[in-house]
Amino acid sequence: MKLPIELLLLSFASLASSASLQPRNANFAAVLGLTSLSTDHSTPDDDALSDKFFHEATFDGHYDGRFAEAKLPDDTRAFHLQLLLKSYVDTMDRIGIRTWIMHGCLLGWWWNGKIMPWDNDLDFMLDERSTRELGNWWNMTVHHYTAKDFGFLDPIVEEEEKAVQVEPLQHTTTAAKAKDEGIAIRKQFLREEVAKKGKKYLLEVNPNYINTSTNDRHNVIDARWIDTATGLYIDITTLHTSPP
Ligand SMILES: *[C@@H]1O[C@H](CO)[C@@H](O)[C@H](O)[C@H]1NC(C)=O
Ligand SMILES: *[C@@H]1O[C@H](CO)[C@@H](O)[C@H](O)[C@H]1NC(C)=O
C-alpha cells in the first residue's frame, strides 16, 4: 500500500510551501512519490509567464507534464477522460461541492450525453465558496479509485452498459471490423490495468483564484483534477459574482 507515503510527501510539500504563495504549481520534486516519470515534461519558467500557476506539458497543452511524457492514442484518451469525469463528479458529490460542466464538455452532453470524441480535456465550474473550500481543505489531496468504483468487472453494470449501447453499424470492410475489434481489445486491456493498479487523482488549487480581475489571463484556471497516470486533467474555473 503506497498511498500513505504519498500523502505524507504531499502534505509535507504543501506545509513547506504554505509560508508564501507559490507562483507556480507544485514542482516535480513535490510529486515524486506520485508520478511514474523520472523527469519533468512541463514547460519551463518563462519571464512572460512568471505569474502563471498551472503549466502544461511541453509536447501538448492538454497534458500535465509532471505526469505525462507523450500524447495518448485517441481511444485510450477517451477511456481515461471518462474515468476522470466520473471520479471528479463522484468526489465532489461525496464531499458536498456543487460543480457543473462547461464548454466542449457541456456541448457533448447536450448533443448526445457523451464526451465528444475529439475532446482533449474537460471543463467544469465552481462557485467561489466551493473553490475556497477546496483550497482550504482539499488542496494537494490524492483520491484513489478502484475498478469497482468505476463499475468495471461488475456483471450487472456491464450488462446495463451493453444494453444501452447503440447497435454497431454493419461493417462494410474487413479492415473496419478489425479496427473495431482492436479498439474493443484495447479497452478490455485498459480495464484490466485499472483493476490491477486502480487510479489516483490529484486535486490542486491555484491560490490566485481569489483574483477576480479579468486581466489575469494566465490564471483563468483555478483548480485542476489530474489523472496521475496519464497527465490528463479537468480544468476548473471559479464563477465570481460581482457587486451590482
Ligand atoms: C495548493 O498547494 C500548492 C502546492 O503546495 C501551492 O502551491 C498552492 O499555493 C496551494 N493552493 C492554495 C489555494 O493554497
Ligand atoms: C490580479 O491579476 C492582475 C492581472 O494579472 C494583477 O495585475 C493584479 O495585481 C492581481 N491582483 C492580486 C491581488 O494579486
Side-chain angles (χ1 to χ4, degrees), residues 91-112:
T91 306
M92 292 306 119
D93 192 37
R94 196 142 32 99
I95 66 182
I97 297 284
R98 187 173 55 167
T99 185
W100 61 96
I101 45 177
M102 285 300 287
H103 309 304
C105 195
L106 181 56
L107 286 175
W109 170 79
W110 176 251
W111 276 341
N112 62 2

Side-chain angles (χ1 to χ4, degrees), residues 13-14 17 21-22 24 26 53 135 139-140 204-207 209:
S14 47
S17 63
L21 278 188
Q22 290 275 16
R24 189 183 166 125
F53 186 78
N139 188 26
M140 299 307 283
E204 185 165 12
V205 186
N206 181 348
Y209 77 85

Side-chain angles (χ1 to χ4, degrees), residues 60-105:
D60 189 291
H62 294 101
Y63 292 80
D64 187 312
R66 295 168 297 176
F67 300 100
E69 54 186 346
K71 284 166 71 165
L72 297 171
D74 290 356
D75 51 317
T76 307
R77 185 188 64 218
F79 172 84
H80 289 293
L81 283 179
Q82 263 180 25
L83 305 194
L84 196 65
L85 180 76
K86 178 162 171 48
S87 59
Y88 171 74
V89 171
D90 281 4
T91 306
M92 292 306 119
D93 192 37
R94 196 142 32 99
I95 66 182
I97 297 284
R98 187 173 55 167
T99 185
W100 61 96
I101 45 177
M102 285 300 287
H103 309 304
C105 195

